[in-house]
Amino acid sequence: MVEQASSVRRAEEPPQALLRPSPVTTAAASLTNMGQVSPQAERSARSVASRKRLNVQYRYSPVKSHRGCLKYAIPNNNVVWDETGFSGVQTCDSSMCFVCGYKKQARNSDKLGNIIENTTGQYDYSLVTLTIPTSRSVYTQARVLQKAYNRTIKYVRKIVKSYGSAFEVSWANDITIDPKSMKVHLHRHAIARLPKGHNLDIDHILFRAWERAVRAVGGGDVVQSAYYFQPIESVDKAVKYIFKAATEAMSSQSKGNSFGNRIGWYGLADRILSSTGEVKERLIGIYRDIVDAMKGKRWFSLS
């Protein structure tokens, strides 16, 4: 069964997790207290949340660079702390990192918004959501999503080119988790661009291409009710929507923001920190599986 992609998600306010001090001389003296991420030292509420979530990354990530992010000083550099956060420390620059990933998506969101604002007179922009069946593991979902997307865009560009036009897409993955059923739903939000005056039924062309591609790579049958295509009315809202993870990083601490029982990537970290026992262990397993499944795969792209 294919689930409709959610728009806003909620996560509970997490307590701090405890980590043992590292035996290596690091920048942790500036970042932590007894090896524990100390968000009270940050002025920004967003940084507070990000650094709380790093406790999950430090303890449970299967990726070595995740476990060292912001812990170690850059050689021959001073560790500096100011209102913008810490500098002079090594980062993992991973899209799955709870600090680096947010920063990368926020930068891309600003960049894409600026591009669209300055080219709306030349191009038509549309918001797209591409989904796949969720009955498969996150490993299969990650493989299917990547292969089906590549096939789809290659085919659509070929069709559009035959009409003397050009088709471009900027996209970002999104993921939701149901803490009750532990079902993971990986999907993709995108903004598609065509030159004005193209006269193509790109909505129909794109969905049919996606439907065939998902089936061809072993993803099963998609349903049109879980597919979304709509011309952009608000650039700011559209850009924030495709880079939902960046928005979630700022909003998931608010209990007023929710969509059913599902949580997103940052909400998963918050839920791990606030859970105990078997539930916590199952959530940790989901976190590790997602990180493993996305190794070597891009989380977002500006066309």
Side-chain angles (χ1 to χ4, degrees):
M1 177 180 180
V2 178
E3 298 178 350
Q4 193 78 26
S6 63
S7 56
V8 185
R9 295 168 297 272
R10 187 191 81 176
E12 297 176 1
E13 179 74 22
Q16 290 178 298
L18 296 176
L19 296 178
R20 295 180 180 178
S22 170
V24 182
T25 301
T26 71
S30 301
L31 287 169
T32 65
N33 175 21
M34 293 296 290
Q36 175 184 353
V37 174
S38 181
Q40 290 87 348
E42 293 282 19
R43 301 179 188 180
S44 165
R46 185 172 62 230
S47 293
V48 167
S50 294
R51 281 167 173 74
K52 281 182 179 180
R53 294 169 186 138
L54 278 180
N55 285 291
V56 171
Q57 192 167 301
Y58 289 163
R59 273 193 166 187
Y60 308 120
S61 177
V63 177
K64 183 178 180 180
S65 61
H66 284 180
R67 301 193 298 271
C69 188
L70 297 182
K71 277 188 175 182
Y72 303 97
I74 298 173
N76 302 317
N77 278 265
N78 293 322
V79 177
V80 178
W81 170 72
D82 56 26
E83 66 276 2
T84 63
F86 289 97
S87 60
V89 291
Q90 296 179 25
T91 61
C92 65
D93 198 37
S94 168
S95 298
M96 305 302 290
C97 172
F98 293 118
V99 171
C100 298
Y102 159 73
K103 290 180 179 179
K104 291 173 74 173
Q105 290 215 33
R107 287 195 299 268
N108 278 279
S109 178
D110 291 341
K111 185 176 181 179
L112 181 58
N114 184 55
I115 291 171
I116 296 174
E117 290 282 6
N118 286 282
T119 58
T120 51
Q122 303 166 255
Y123 298 98
D124 289 331
Y125 288 94
S126 299
L127 189 62
V128 183
T129 295
L130 300 171
T131 64
I132 55 178
T134 60
S135 58
R136 292 153 172 80
S137 72
V138 68
Y139 293 92
T140 300
Q141 290 185 47
R143 177 187 61 81
V144 168
L145 189 66
Q146 177 176 291
K147 289 188 174 182
Y149 180 81
N150 290 342
R151 290 173 71 113
T152 298
I153 298 306
K154 183 178 180 180
Y155 173 80
V156 174
R157 281 180 172 155
K158 182 178 179 180
I159 294 296
V160 172
K161 185 178 180 180
S162 70
Y163 283 86
S165 196
F167 180 71
E168 298 295 338
V169 186
S170 294
W171 58 267
N173 286 339
D174 189 19
I175 197 160
T176 57
I177 304 98
D178 187 331
K180 291 185 177 180
S181 66
M182 298 295 175
K183 177 179 284 188
V184 177
H185 181 205
L186 181 63
H187 48 283
R188 183 162 293 185
H189 301 296
I191 291 180
R193 185 179 85 174
L194 278 168
K196 287 187 176 297
H198 55 79
N199 294 322
L200 288 166
D201 187 0
I202 195 64
D203 182 3
H204 178 78
I205 294 171
L206 182 58
F207 176 72
R208 294 306 172 195
W210 177 248
E211 184 180 39
R212 289 193 299 269
V214 172
R215 189 181 299 119
V217 299
D221 295 323
V222 300
V223 295
Q224 193 155 5
S225 61
Y227 164 80
Y228 181 86
F229 186 99
Q230 184 69 37
I232 287 177
E233 296 180 359
S234 167
V235 174
D236 182 60
K237 289 181 180 179
V239 171
K240 285 181 178 178
Y241 187 72
I242 78 162
F243 289 108
K244 289 172 70 176
T247 304
E248 181 203 352
M250 295 182 284
S251 67
S252 64
Q253 294 298 299
S254 171
K255 294 183 179 181
N257 293 308
S258 63
F259 187 89
N261 296 317
R262 291 189 291 267
I263 55 176
W265 179 240
Y266 293 84
L268 175 60
D270 294 342
R271 192 62 64 91
I272 288 172
L273 290 171
S274 65
S275 297
T276 58
E278 183 181 350
V279 172
K280 185 184 186 79
E281 292 304 313
R282 292 181 69 186
L283 292 171
I284 291 169
I286 288 174
Y287 166 74
R288 287 173 168 162
D289 284 347
I290 293 171
V291 174
D292 272 334
M294 293 308 301
K295 282 182 180 178
K297 298 178 178 64
R298 303 183 72 175
W299 193 253
F300 50 81
S301 175
L302 296 186
S303 177

